[in-house]
Amino acid sequence: MNNRELIDKAAAEHKLSKEQLVSILSDISTDDYLFQTADKVRQKYVGDEVHLRGLIEFSNICKCNCKYCGLRKDNHYVTRYRMDIEEIIRLASDAKEYGYKTIVLQSGEDSFFTKEKMREIISELKQMDFAITLSLGEKTYEEYKAYKEAGADRYLLRIETTDKNLYQKLHPGMSFENRIQCLKNLKELGFETGTGCLVGLPEQTIDSLAEDILFFKKLDADMIGLGPFIPSYGTPLEKETGGTLIMSLKVMALTRLLLPDINIPATTAMETLSPNGRITALQSGANVVMPNVTDDEHKKNYAIYPGKAGLNNTPEEYRKTITAKITAIGRKISQGYGFHIRQEIDPL
Ligand code: 5AD
Ligand code: SF4
C-alpha cells in the first residue's frame, strides 16, 4: 500500500502500525492529503464546533527542572509569581463574561497549592458553572482524588516523549514510570484525561513520534495536546534546533485518524511558529482552542518558551479575533462544555 492508501485506511479503520506511521511521517509528498483527511475525520466525528477553553496560568513557580522549559527551577531569569484565590476568581469571572464554559488552571509544579487550597479554588469555580480542566503536573493519587471530588472534570499531563531514555535525560529527578502511573490514576479516577508530546526534541526520532501516537491510542486518551519544541533562553537546550510546525501538524493529524472522536487543541506553540498556525491546525484535525485569559502582567512571566503567541492581546480582544477567524473558515464557536463524547467508530 502506498502512503495515500494508508491514510485512507487509517481514516476508515482508525488503526496504523508503527511502520505505517513512520512511513507517513517520513513522506512529505502526502502531507496535504493527510491534513485534508484528518479534517474530514474531525468533521465526521466531532463536527464543526470549536470549543474554547479559558486558560489561567496561576503560578509559574516550579520545582522541576525539565531541560526544555523556560520555567524550570534553575532558570533564574524568570520573575516568579503566584496568584491568590481572589485573583483567580476575578479572571474566571471575566472569562465567564466573554462566554467561556471551561476554565483550564495551569501552573508549574508548585507545592504551595496544597490539596486543601486546590479544593477551595475548584469548588469556587464549580459554583460558577464552569467545566474545570487542571494542568498541575504530577501529584499523588490522593491529591488527584481530592481534585476530582471537589469537581474537577479533566486533567492534562503530557507524556512529553515515550522514548524512556530521552524522557529520563530531559527530566532530571523525575521518573517515566511515575508519569505513566499518574496518567493511569487520572483515568481510574474518572477524569477526562489528556496527554501529548513535544515534537522535535533533540535526539527524538520519527520512530519515537510513531510510538507517541500509538501510546495515545493505547491510553485511550480523551484529549491530545501537542506542539513543536521551541528552544527557550536560560535552559540547557537554548541553542538546540526546535521542532517544526509541519511535523507537529502531521503528528496531530495522525492522532486524529487514530482517535477520531477526541478533543484536540490547536496549541499556542503552533501559533508561535506561524501567525496562522492555529487556524491551520483547526483545518488539519484540531477542534479546540485554549485562549489565555491571564492578565498581561502575569502572562508575560509565564514564559515556557520565547515569543509565546497571544502576548499582545487582551483576553477580550483575543476572544473577538479568534471568533472572527473561526467563523471565517466556516466553523462555529461551541456554546456547550465540550466534553469528550465517545462515538460509534465506523468507516467514512
Ligand atoms: N517548547 C514548547 N513547549 C514546551 N513545553 C515546555 N517547554 C516547552 C518548549 N520549550 C510544554 C510541555 C508542557 C507544556 C505545559 O508546555 O509539553 O507539558
Ligand atoms: Fe515545570 Fe512544567 Fe516547565 Fe517541567 S514543563 S519545568 S513541570 S512548568
Side-chain angles (χ1 to χ4, degrees):
M1 247 190 265
N2 65 32
N3 285 334
R4 236 181 131 92
E5 287 160 349
L6 283 179
I7 292 167
D8 289 338
K9 175 177 124 63
E13 296 170 9
H14 313 295
K15 275 195 293 237
L16 284 173
S17 68
K18 180 174 164 191
E19 290 66 35
Q20 292 170 332
L21 285 166
V22 169
S23 172
I24 299 168
L25 286 169
S26 315
D27 182 357
I28 57 167
S29 75
T30 45
D31 287 357
D32 287 340
Y33 190 65
L34 170 63
F35 300 148
Q36 284 158 22
T37 310
D39 196 42
K40 278 194 200 145
V41 171
R42 183 271 310 153
Q43 184 177 43
K44 175 175 158 72
Y45 285 89
V46 296
D48 280 336
E49 292 197 335
V50 175
H51 304 288
L52 299 183
R53 327 285 202 198
L55 173 68
I56 302 179
E57 297 162 329
F58 68 95
S59 164
N60 69 353
I61 297 174
C62 190
K63 63 176 189 214
C64 298
N65 247 329
C66 307
K67 290 203 177 145
Y68 44 79
C69 178
L71 297 185
R72 68 198 302 272
K73 179 172 111 209
D74 290 350
N75 189 358
H76 300 296
Y77 296 110
V78 180
T79 308
R80 304 283 172 174
Y81 71 85
R82 193 177 260 153
M83 290 182 192
D84 54 29
I85 182 161
E86 287 73 28
E87 196 153 11
I88 298 172
I89 302 302
R90 185 175 55 75
L91 291 174
S93 345
D94 291 349
K96 180 118 228 166
E97 268 181 44
Y98 311 138
Y100 290 100
K101 298 282 193 299
T102 291
I103 288 292
V104 183
L105 288 176
Q106 186 164 70
S107 67
E109 291 209 12
D110 182 356
S111 317
F112 173 84
F113 289 94
T114 56
K115 205 162 70 178
E116 291 69 32
K117 288 203 177 76
M118 284 316 302
R119 207 185 280 157
E120 195 185 337
I121 298 169
I122 294 164
S123 316
E124 291 265 354
L125 292 178
K126 211 60 204 174
Q127 282 170 32
M128 298 165 77
D129 282 332
F130 281 115
I132 299 169
T133 305
L134 301 175
S135 175
L136 321 173
E138 296 180 20
K139 304 284 171 182
T140 62
Y141 186 88
E142 285 63 40
E143 286 172 300
Y144 287 153
K145 187 158 180 270
Y147 307 156
K148 189 80 188 59
E149 285 168 1
D153 303 280
R154 316 185 182 112
Y155 203 102
L156 307 173
L157 184 72
R158 289 184 178 177
I159 189 70
E160 314 293 0
T161 173
T162 54
D163 175 337
K164 189 176 163 197
N165 276 332
L166 182 57
Y167 184 92
Q168 294 299 161
K169 275 197 212 171
L170 293 173
H171 302 93
M174 293 166 77
S175 113
F176 185 70
E177 282 75 23
N178 191 55
R179 199 139 186 112
I180 306 265
Q181 190 57 52
C182 284
L183 286 165
K184 288 188 178 152
N185 292 347
L186 290 163
K187 286 211 65 147
E188 188 188 315
L189 285 161
F191 280 98
E192 280 200 359
T193 304
T195 189
C197 63
L198 285 165
V199 176
L201 287 164
E203 296 177 40
Q204 189 180 41
T205 59
I206 296 280
D207 250 54
S208 100
L209 288 171
E211 293 280 11
D212 292 353
I213 300 169
L214 292 174
F215 171 79
F216 305 156
K217 175 99 176 156
K218 188 162 160 228
L219 183 74
D220 190 23
D222 298 287
M223 308 171 277
I224 293 296
L226 59 89
F229 154 62
I230 302 172
S232 196
Y233 307 125
T235 70
L237 305 184
E238 65 182 2
K239 298 212 164 61
E240 298 289 338
T241 312
T244 65
L245 177 62
I246 286 284
M247 190 51 95
S248 309
L249 291 172
K250 287 175 77 163
V251 176
M252 189 193 77
L254 286 165
T255 302
R256 171 60 74 198
L257 299 188
L258 266 52
L259 294 113
D261 62 11
I262 64 165
N263 284 322
I264 301 184
T267 58
T268 310
M270 291 177 173
E271 182 93 344
T272 300
L273 290 196
S274 149
N276 215 27
R278 266 188 169 148
I279 292 299
T280 311
L282 285 174
Q283 296 175 305
S284 313
N287 69 322
V288 171
V289 177
M290 294 162 60
N292 204 322
V293 297
T294 311
D295 54 296
D296 288 359
E297 197 46 40
H298 290 123
K299 196 160 58 177
K300 72 172 194 302
N301 291 320
Y302 205 89
I304 295 180
Y305 47 78
K308 221 173 82 176
L311 278 185
N312 304 319
N313 300 99
T314 65
E316 203 174 359
E317 282 164 3
Y318 193 83
R319 169 94 197 189
K320 275 195 197 134
T321 316
I322 195 74
T323 302
K325 285 189 186 174
I326 289 169
T327 319
I329 57 164
R331 306 275 281 277
K332 294 185 280 280
I333 305 286
S334 160
Q335 301 301 321
Y337 289 109
F339 287 108
H340 173 204
I341 301 162
R342 288 178 186 272
Q343 313 269 340
E344 200 65 34
I345 310 274
D346 55 28
L348 270 179

